[in-house]
Structure formats: C-alpha cells, structure tokens
C-alpha cells in the first residue's frame, strides 16, 4: 500500500512538471496618496516665494552653505512618507560659485563667476548626464502667469531623477529644481509617486515669484 501511495505521488509530481508555467505579473505595494493642499513659502530675505504641499517640509543643509557662501537660499522640499526630496538650488547671476576640481594632488576649490549662459549650460548638463539610463529626455520651455520663464525636463527610464526644471530672469536670479528618491531608480515602482509629485513640482513653478530687491 505504501509503495502504491509513493508511486501515485511521484506520478502526480511528474505530470505537474509537464504542465505549462504561467508567471504572475510583478506587483508593487499600493501607495496611499494624500489630498493635495498647499501653503506659502515666503521667508524674509529670500529672493523668491512659492507654494508647496502641506505634506512636505522645508529643510536646508547648513554644512553646504558653509562650503559655498554664494548659496544661502538653497532649500529642499522633503517628502519623508515617499522617501523623496525636491532640491531647490539658487544662484545669483553675477555672483561667484565655488566648485571642486580634481588635480594631480587631490581636489581644490575653484571660484567661477556665474553667468546666465554658464548656469543654463550647467542645468542642461546636469539633466542630460542621466542619458545613459534614460529612455528619453524631453525639455520644454515655459512661461507662467507670474511671468516666470524656464525649462522643464522630463526624463524617461530608470534615471535617478525623472523631473527637473530651472527658472530664471536671465539677469539676476537662477534656480534649479530636481526631484530625487532615496531608493534604487525603478520607473515602474516609482511611477505613481513620480506622477503625484510631478504635479506638485508644476504647482511650485506656477506659483513661483521673484521678489523685488
């Protein structure tokens, strides 16, 4: 009787191995997205203002400003629930920036004068450096109802950042924004959050204003 049961079980296993295999589609955890509401960022002394989501928070890295005194107005919009952050880096056209350059004996500081052309070229270079992992890169000019001009970059594929932009008045102010996640780039799994925060980036742009100084 035991031999019969063993033979039956073995026959069943062999038969099941010959059946066609159908892989299950890859799934991702469902992400609960909050209701869209915004509040104003308008701190004294800052050369700009804009609206940002209430589920985000403003932060800045003081260590960065000690290294680069030309950038006291660099801030981040943090989204801890999504492990995401929008970096907003500001530079004064006509001011100086300090860059690290590699030499035979190590790295040293190099002071560079900020020009509109140079900052614009740097913004395009920063966006297109993801071209190795990007399936597409689209850049589009925009001008908002607040007379704010700039370029928006949409990067397809598994690039580190899929959404970037810069705004400028071409004579005094230049600000670049980029959305990053603290996770390995995966366009499929990040798609819902990317789309959600893309709308918030566009809201930042559409409510952005330069202050008169």
């Amino acid at each position: 009787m035991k031999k019969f049961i063993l033979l039956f079980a073995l026959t069943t296993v062999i038969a099941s191995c010959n059946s066609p295999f159908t892989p299950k589609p890859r799934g991702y955890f469902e992400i609960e997205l909050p209701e869209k509401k915004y509040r104003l960022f308008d701190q004294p002394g800052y050369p700009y203002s804009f609206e940002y989501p209430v589920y985000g928070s403003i932060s800045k890295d003081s260590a960065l400003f000690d290294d680069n005194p030309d950038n006291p107005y660099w801030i981040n919009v943090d989204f801890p629930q999504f492990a995401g952050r929008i970096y907003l880096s500001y530079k004064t056209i006509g001011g100086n920036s300090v860059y690290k350059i590699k030499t035979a004996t190590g790295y040293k500081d190099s002071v560079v004068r900020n020009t509109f052309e140079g900052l614009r070229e740097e913004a395009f270079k920063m966006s297109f450096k993801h071209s190795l992992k990007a399936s597409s890169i689209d850049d589009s000019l925009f001008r908002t109802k607040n007379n704010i001009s700039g370029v928006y970059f949409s990067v397809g594929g598994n690039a580190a950042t899929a959404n970037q932009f810069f705004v400028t008045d071409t004579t005094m102010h230049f600000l670049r924004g980029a959305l990053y996640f603290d996770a390995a780039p995966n366009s499929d799994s990040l798609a819902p959050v990317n789309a959600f925060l893309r709308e918030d980036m566009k809201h930042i742009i559409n409510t952005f204003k330069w202050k008169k100084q």
Side-chain angles (χ1 to χ4, degrees):
M1 185 65 180
K2 291 182 179 180
K3 290 183 178 180
F4 174 78
I5 294 174
L6 181 60
L7 180 62
F8 177 78
L10 184 60
T11 303
T12 302
V13 171
I14 294 174
S16 63
C17 289
N18 291 329
S19 60
F21 170 70
T22 304
K24 294 182 179 180
R26 178 181 297 178
Y28 299 100
F29 293 108
E30 183 178 356
I31 300 174
E32 185 175 348
L33 301 175
E35 180 184 0
K36 286 196 176 297
K37 291 183 179 180
Y38 298 94
R39 56 188 165 192
L40 180 65
F41 175 84
D42 187 9
Q43 294 297 316
Y46 279 73
Y48 55 78
S49 67
F50 60 86
E51 292 182 3
Y52 68 101
V54 296
Y55 39 85
S57 60
I58 301 295
S59 68
K60 65 180 189 177
D61 186 353
S62 59
L64 173 66
F65 310 128
D66 292 339
D67 292 338
N68 198 339
D70 181 53
N71 299 317
Y73 308 122
W74 284 31
I75 61 174
N76 308 316
V77 184
D78 295 321
F79 304 96
Q81 68 271 49
F82 302 132
R85 168 177 284 181
I86 299 175
Y87 291 88
L88 298 175
S89 53
Y90 171 85
K91 293 188 177 182
T92 304
I93 297 175
N96 294 325
S97 289
V98 179
Y99 294 89
K100 296 288 185 181
I101 60 173
K102 190 174 183 179
T103 67
T105 57
Y107 287 88
K108 70 174 185 178
D109 290 341
S110 176
V111 179
V112 177
R113 186 79 168 174
N114 295 328
T115 64
F116 166 66
E117 292 77 12
L119 293 173
R120 179 185 58 188
E121 181 180 349
E122 181 185 25
F124 272 87
K125 186 183 299 183
M126 291 289 290
S127 298
F128 280 82
K129 78 173 184 177
H130 302 288
S131 59
L132 291 177
K133 291 188 177 181
S135 58
S136 63
I137 300 179
D138 297 320
D139 55 90
S140 54
L141 293 168
F142 62 79
R143 187 173 184 83
T144 71
K145 63 181 181 180
N146 294 325
N147 292 322
I148 299 297
S149 299
V151 175
Y152 194 94
F153 301 91
S154 296
V155 184
N158 293 327
T161 173
N163 299 280
Q164 305 174 48
F165 71 89
F166 71 78
V167 291
T168 181
D169 63 358
T170 73
T171 58
M172 186 179 295
H173 307 294
F174 195 100
L175 181 139
R176 179 177 177 270
L179 171 62
Y180 285 87
F181 292 95
D182 187 17
N186 186 311
S187 58
D188 292 331
S189 62
L190 292 176
V193 178
N194 249 326
F196 184 76
L197 295 182
R198 182 185 303 119
E199 296 304 312
D200 293 331
M201 289 188 75
K202 291 181 178 180
H203 188 86
I204 290 175
I205 292 170
N206 286 324
T207 58
F208 196 92
K209 294 180 181 178
W210 298 118
K211 293 182 183 179
K212 294 182 179 179
Q213 294 181 325

